[in-house]
Amino acid sequence: MERKFWALGFIWWVLLVHPPWLISANMEGDALHSLRTNLLDPNNVLQSWDPTLVNPCTWFHVTCNNDNSVIRVDLGNAALSGQLVPQLGQLKNLQYLELYSNNITGPIPSDLGNLTNLVSLDLYLNRFTGPIPDSLGKLSKLRFLRLNNNSLTGLIPMTLTNISSLQVLDLSNNRLSGVVPDNGSFSLFTPISFANNLDLCGPVTGHPCPGSPPFSPPPPFVPPPPISPPGNICSIAIALGGNSATGAIAGGVAAGAALLFAAPAIAFAWWRRRKPQEFFFDVPAEEDPEVHLGQLKRFSLRELQVATDSFSNKNILGRGGFGKVYKGRLADGSLVAVKRLKEERTPGGELQFQTEVEMISMAVHRNLLRLRGFCMTPTERLLVYPYMANGSVASCLRERPAHQEPLDWPTRKRIALGSARGLSYLHDHCDPKIIHRDVKAANILLDEEFEAVVGDFGLAKLMDYKDTHVTTAVRGTIGHIAPEYLSTGKSSEKTDVFGYGIMLLELITGQRAFDLARLANDDDVMLLDWVKGLLKEKKLEMLVDPDLHNNYIEAEVEQLIQVALLCTQGSPMERPKMSEVVRMLEGDGLAERWDEWQKVEVLRQEVELAPHPNSDWIVDSTENLHAVELSGPR
């Protein structure tokens, strides 16, 4: 009996001293430390991975949830080499494993199949060898699987077809061989997903396998024979006899009958000729076989008319400089957002449009809005995207329904980091790089889990195909436009960084980037100037969105404001790159960058306080500005 009480007491003591979350955190920390010891880290990006800490949630490039469980490991583009370790399979709550663009070698551990909460597995642009593990088929929540640009060999596992949630699959540029499994799951993906392998074959790849019959085209359409009316003309003629007289009568009867049956068709044709032409007319996709745009679907205009109820005003989700966006429901029941570009067709613009659409479609990242398809007719240009259930950051900040809760502080931090990752991908991983040119809260969309998704990227270039007489065009919204872009019309990735900094201030304050209503309180109409003014007066609490009801961490607010001010410096050369912004938001390098900036600001202010010889010519840059959207050449 005493031994039983002693055992129970020991268990109770263990639970008190080592609670379950601490045991779990220690296991996850041990697993990640095993990874660190197995990797070569020339840039010391893993310097903060200290195994003596209680849990890994304070390490750079590691994200945890409220239960102190690791849900994200971001080590993309970190110049790491070495091999992965099977202990990674112990990160049971991991949702995102990002190890792309490194020099990691060896096999992909089969233990990754234990990560049943994994949403994204990005191992592309490494030097992995060996087969794709069958165990990856157990990742039932996986949406993004990118293993391209490695040296993987062997067959594609049939188990991968069990992942019904898979949205993006890329196995290209490996040494895979054999038949691509096809039970209907892989039919969503095109040959691009399997391109440049050793010897892949099957219907999905477009290459028949040896010994199998070649793919045959569908049988030609044979129109059904016309249905003869009761008592048709031939039988009437035969019944009337075969001599000339009766033949003449038969001919007259036949002509009368033909006229009788033709009259409705003639009347309908005359009515159509008199009727005004519809504004829309369709060009079926089959008539333009030259358009092959990766995994994009080419929709017919009729499909999108039906989906949006003929572009009804009741289905408008938003308006912008590029056109209107409509909510639609396709024939398969899926919801989409259809962007109807407002510029009309110009002669010779088809090829340029197709090229730019293809460029947009190649940018695939979980924080970028995926282009699902397009439609092109002689009068229409339409882009089809997945429907974002939670709208935009701007709508959640300022236009949400009364029953919807405001964005809490942890969600705003996630939005800041997710949108930075999306923009960094556009700038550093797309070839050629994509400049957004209109980064703002209205163009950061939110999916079902309030994950940030950057929308409208690439559209500025897409819409400029008709501006053949100009080399630059200013596109953007007042309050978000970088000063050098507004004055010269020349954009770069640093103009996006400026817009991102303003978007951060929108997230923190809940206010618009440009708002004449602030004049009522003698405040600046420009959000950036208003924020700087309050910071000079040390009124940080007045900056934060009242909807947060003081439920935020002041130190984190200060850090986000610091990042925003670094991004909105007047000189584009002094602004950080978006990849640097991502690292600062993850806690790496912000303090050093901020200290450098403050020293420069002190010197600048000393210069500005000196008497200016032409002070009479200094004017307020915000005079006579109107809240209009700039969307044309300047």
Side-chain angles (χ1 to χ4, degrees):
M1 192 69 176
E2 288 181 4
R3 293 181 62 184
K4 184 181 292 186
F5 279 119
W6 182 88
L8 289 173
F10 177 76
I11 293 172
W12 180 250
W13 176 81
V14 168
L15 291 175
L16 283 176
V17 178
H18 300 285
W21 67 265
L22 183 57
I23 297 172
S24 173
N26 284 337
M27 287 178 55
E28 293 179 337
D30 291 344
L32 291 176
H33 186 254
S34 298
L35 176 64
R36 179 191 176 182
T37 57
N38 223 42
L39 294 176
L40 295 177
D41 179 19
N43 296 331
N44 289 323
V45 297
L46 305 178
Q47 186 176 7
S48 65
W49 287 29
D50 184 354
T52 63
L53 297 178
V54 173
N55 65 61
C57 297
T58 58
W59 299 354
F60 292 158
H61 313 293
V62 175
T63 305
C64 294
N65 59 16
N66 294 333
D67 297 325
N68 290 308
S69 295
V70 176
I71 60 172
R72 193 171 201 143
V73 176
D74 290 289
L75 291 172
N77 202 23
L80 299 172
S81 58
Q83 296 189 6
L84 300 187
V85 294
Q87 288 90 333
L88 285 175
Q90 297 174 11
L91 305 174
K92 301 295 185 181
N93 295 290
L94 193 66
Q95 298 176 19
Y96 297 92
L97 181 57
E98 308 296 326
L99 294 168
Y100 56 85
S101 298
N102 286 291
N103 295 303
I104 302 174
T105 56
I108 298 173
S110 60
D111 301 74
L112 296 186
N114 297 329
L115 306 177
T116 53
N117 285 302
L118 207 61
V119 172
S120 178
L121 179 60
D122 283 337
L123 304 180
Y124 59 91
L125 286 169
N126 278 285
R127 295 161 59 192
F128 286 107
T129 55
I132 300 173
D134 287 337
S135 59
L136 296 187
K138 296 188 294 184
L139 305 179
S140 59
K141 298 181 181 179
L142 198 65
R143 290 161 53 192
F144 304 94
L145 177 60
R146 282 172 283 219
L147 307 177
N148 51 293
N149 295 82
N150 282 288
S151 298
L152 298 171
T153 55
L155 304 175
I156 298 176
M158 184 67 184
T159 56
L160 293 185
T161 62
N162 298 331
I163 310 175
S164 59
S165 59
L166 205 58
Q167 296 177 5
V168 173
L169 171 69
D170 196 344
L171 305 178
S172 60
N173 298 295
N174 280 289
R175 299 176 182 175
L176 301 169
S177 59
V179 181
V180 175
D182 184 21
N183 65 349
S185 299
F186 281 5
S187 60
L188 299 172
F189 308 107
T190 62
I192 289 180
S193 304
F194 311 97
N196 298 324
N197 274 283
L198 183 65
D199 191 19
L200 286 177
C201 62
V204 179
T205 66
H207 301 292
C209 296
S212 64
F215 306 136
S216 56
F221 174 72
V222 179
I227 301 174
S228 301
N232 59 61
I233 296 172
C234 295
S235 61
I236 293 174
I238 294 172
L240 287 174
N243 57 45
S244 59
T246 56
I249 296 173
V253 172
L259 184 61
L260 178 65
F261 287 113
I266 296 171
F268 178 73
W270 177 83
W271 174 79
R272 285 293 300 270
R273 186 178 181 85
R274 291 289 305 273
K275 184 177 181 288
Q277 290 296 311
E278 291 286 341
F279 181 73
F280 302 109
F281 59 98
D282 199 1
V283 176
E286 308 76 88
E287 295 182 11
D288 191 358
E290 298 302 316
V291 181
H292 302 288
L293 300 179
Q295 299 182 120
L296 289 180
K297 175 182 177 181
R298 180 163 186 173
F299 291 89
S300 70
L301 182 57
R302 181 60 185 161
E303 280 182 275
L304 301 183
Q305 280 182 274
V306 172
T308 59
D309 194 14
S310 296
F311 301 102
S312 170
N313 286 338
K314 69 182 182 185
N315 287 324
I316 292 179
L317 294 173
R319 297 177 174 86
F322 302 113
K324 296 178 182 178
V325 183
Y326 298 83
K327 181 179 180 181
R329 185 181 294 275
L330 298 177
D332 62 4
S334 60
L335 291 175
V336 292
V338 181
K339 183 176 287 291
R340 188 180 179 196
L341 303 180
K342 67 182 183 182
E343 254 100 327
E344 295 181 0
R345 175 185 182 177
T346 54
E350 295 88 345
L351 181 59
Q352 180 69 20
F353 179 83
Q354 292 176 23
T355 301
E356 301 302 339
V357 167
E358 184 170 15
M359 178 190 71
I360 294 173
S361 71
M362 295 300 288
V364 179
H365 187 273
R366 67 176 178 276
N367 295 116
L368 296 177
L369 186 62
R370 179 172 55 90
L371 185 61
R372 179 167 174 174
F374 75 107
C375 173
M376 183 173 62
T377 78
T379 58
E380 292 287 331
R381 298 285 188 271
L382 300 115
L383 302 175
V384 182
Y385 297 97
Y387 175 70
M388 292 289 108
N390 286 306
S392 69
V393 171
S395 64
C396 288
L397 289 174
R398 297 183 287 268
E399 302 162 11
R400 68 180 188 280
H403 65 273
Q404 184 178 329
E405 292 293 324
L407 296 174
D408 59 25
W409 181 247
T411 300
R412 298 187 196 214
K413 285 196 306 175
R414 279 207 327 272
I415 291 169
L417 183 55
S419 52
R421 285 175 174 144
L423 291 171
S424 175
Y425 182 88
L426 291 178
H427 293 175
D428 298 329
H429 293 278
C430 292
D431 185 19
K433 69 175 61 177
I434 297 176
I435 309 300
H436 192 293
R437 291 208 263 175
D438 197 14
V439 180
K440 57 184 179 181
N443 284 336
I444 308 298
L445 307 177
L446 301 172
D447 66 10
E448 297 84 356
E449 300 171 355
F450 286 91
E451 183 80 16
V453 179
V454 179
D456 272 11
F457 62 89
L459 289 193
K461 187 71 170 68
L462 183 67
M463 298 299 289
D464 284 344
Y465 72 89
K466 65 175 291 182
D467 295 326
T468 54
H469 61 290
V470 293
T471 56
T472 58
V474 175
R475 295 186 182 276
T477 310
I478 287 282
H480 297 267
I481 305 176
E484 76 279 2
Y485 184 30
L486 191 59
S487 60
T488 67
K490 295 181 179 179
S491 63
S492 70
E493 60 265 37
K494 294 303 181 72
T495 60
D496 282 356
V497 174
F498 184 93
Y500 173 81
I502 299 297
M503 191 279 296
L504 276 187
L505 297 180
E506 290 184 274
L507 262 180
I508 297 166
T509 66
Q511 299 213 23
R512 300 179 188 278
F514 179 92
D515 195 350
L516 291 172
R518 284 195 286 266
L519 287 175
N521 298 321
D522 293 328
D523 291 328
D524 290 290
V525 294
M526 292 292 192
L527 179 59
L528 180 59
D529 296 334
W530 179 73
V531 167
K532 288 181 176 179
L534 288 178
L535 288 176
K536 285 182 180 178
E537 299 173 11
K538 302 187 185 304
K539 296 180 178 178
L540 179 66
E541 70 282 354
M542 293 185 63
L543 286 176
V544 183
D545 189 350
D547 284 343
L548 286 170
H549 302 294
N550 294 321
N551 292 322
Y552 58 88
I553 300 173
E554 188 171 317
E556 294 178 347
V557 171
E558 291 178 355
Q559 289 168 357
L560 274 194
I561 291 177
Q562 289 173 2
V563 174
L565 293 180
L566 290 173
C567 290
T568 53
Q569 296 178 82
S571 169
M573 299 300 295
E574 295 175 359
R575 297 173 204 149
K577 296 176 62 177
M578 284 309 305
S579 56
E580 295 173 318
V581 171
V582 171
R583 287 197 292 272
M584 288 190 289
L585 292 173
E586 291 174 339
D588 185 6
L590 174 58
E592 296 83 353
R593 188 78 182 242
W594 180 250
D595 287 341
E596 292 175 8
W597 180 78
Q598 283 188 310
K599 292 175 184 176
V600 173
E601 278 297 294
V602 169
L603 293 174
R604 182 180 289 121
Q605 289 175 11
E606 290 176 354
V607 172
E608 290 177 353
L609 289 174
H612 198 286
N614 297 317
S615 57
D616 292 341
W617 292 96
I618 298 175
V619 295
D620 183 3
S621 63
T622 62
E623 271 188 4
N624 300 321
L625 286 176
H626 301 282
V628 296
E629 188 159 13
L630 301 180
S631 57
R634 289 288 187 273

